[in-house]
Amino acid sequence: MPTVILISGAGGFLGSQLAAKLQEATPDAKLILVDIVAPNVDKTDDVLPLQSDLTDPNQCDKLFETNFGIPETVYCMHGIMSRGSEDNFDLGIKVNVDSVRNLLESTRNHCPASGPPIKFIFTSSLAVYGGPLPDVIQPNTIATPESAYGMGKLTSELFINEYTRRGFVDGRILRLPTVVVRPGKPSNATSAFFSGIIREPLQGLESVCPIGNSIDSPDLDLAVWVASPSTTIINLAHAREVPASKILSHTRVICLPGFTTTVREELLALEAVGGKQALQFVRFQDDPTNRRVVSSWPARFDNSYGLGLGFSVDEGGMEPLVRQFVRSLGL
Ligand SMILES: NC(=O)c1ccc[n+]([C@@H]2O[C@H](COP(=O)([O-])OP(=O)(O)OC[C@H]3O[C@@H](n4cnc5c(N)ncnc54)[C@H](O)[C@@H]3O)[C@@H](O)[C@H]2O)c1
């Protein structure tokens, strides 16, 4: 029997890249790719793209009734990003909490009567942290979010932990660093500018930096915890390979490895790769809401638990991430 893997949010940035990675790394697998916006892939014998609104429990159930059979892994990656959740509280809760619970419940109800439960891999975020924090986040640091997005992610995490404790699913909760450089159009994430200030200038387009009012501003020392798209996708694929027994039982949370950079270091990396002219496409316009949310996120984590589970980390700081983006443009 082929392995069946379901990815929600498969029309998005990470979901679509994960689907491509799994097709390459596990060619025998069958993929069910679901998103509220139809995933931009062809239907084949091994790939089933579906358009579904997962806020509807019936549509979640239908994902387990396709002719591909019951998935052995569900990647729950759909969602409303941070600024979107902050600006539209009700939509954020409906998608980031209610629909995750719908998918979790459908997964539970379709788990085979015998054998291991379905792996339920959830993409959470460092936005679950807020308030006074230690200099370095440890696996046992308590999460006290200060945004609707972080609160929604943490709420879903609690459900997944409990469903795992009861044996309903095998939950694996990945708290992702901010992924840079994100290709394509700007997202509605509060963190979108961390990619935008590199992506747009390298293509000769203006980008607004919402932190600080000039290149000399001390505000540019704002630190952020990041990972590259390629390392993030490797880690998402790895998450289903980790033996269940190796993950702590009282919490299924794993902070994916990352590294600390600052807005200033990003701009220096932009200049190193794109030259001084690239910097001129960055326009500074301080945004207090954006600054408040981003500043509440931690920027230093202890990577040892994630590395011990076999997850990967980027090496060499920001510049390789900028070069990775340039390569993705085919430049
Ligand atoms: N990219 C990052 O830096 C980052 C960092 C931390 C966590 N994450 C998490 O990783 C996941 C993927 O992030 P991304 O950057 O690919 O986001 P994205 O916005 O590109 O993709 C999310 C997808 O979810 C879909 N979606 C929204 N509502 C839906 C619904 N009701 N039913 C079905 N699909 C729906 C959207 O259409 C979109 O394609 C998200 O859960 C996000 O919170 C991302």
Side-chain angles (χ1 to χ4, degrees), residues 52-65 78 94 97-107 109-110:
S52 304
D53 179 352
L54 302 179
T55 61
D56 175 355
N58 293 325
Q59 297 202 30
C60 288
D61 275 339
K62 287 211 167 68
L63 304 176
F64 294 82
E65 292 158 12
H78 68 285
K94 199 171 167 193
V97 180
D98 299 344
S99 77
V100 172
R101 174 134 189 250
N102 293 342
L103 187 56
L104 193 54
E105 192 62 15
S106 297
T107 306
N109 291 334
H110 291 89

Side-chain angles (χ1 to χ4, degrees), residues 175-225:
R175 288 184 185 158
L176 272 56
T178 295
V179 183
V180 291
V181 176
R182 180 190 174 103
K185 296 216 164 70
S187 74
N188 64 352
T190 322
S191 56
F193 75 92
F194 287 120
S195 286
I197 58 172
I198 291 169
R199 181 185 55 229
E200 267 74 68
L202 284 173
Q203 297 176 93
L205 300 169
E206 182 183 273
S207 177
V208 173
C209 176
I211 309 294
N213 275 319
S214 79
I215 190 113
D216 301 318
S217 168
D219 295 334
L220 300 190
D221 292 322
L222 180 102
V224 58
W225 184 245

Side-chain angles (χ1 to χ4, degrees), residues 9 11-15 35-37 52-55 77-81 95 123-125 149 153 176-179 182:
F13 160 44
L14 294 175
D35 200 293
I36 196 166
V37 178
S52 304
D53 179 352
L54 302 179
T55 61
M77 296 177 63
H78 68 285
I80 301 297
M81 298 309 112
V95 177
T123 43
S124 187
S125 159
Y149 175 67
K153 289 289 189 188
L176 272 56
T178 295
V179 183
R182 180 190 174 103

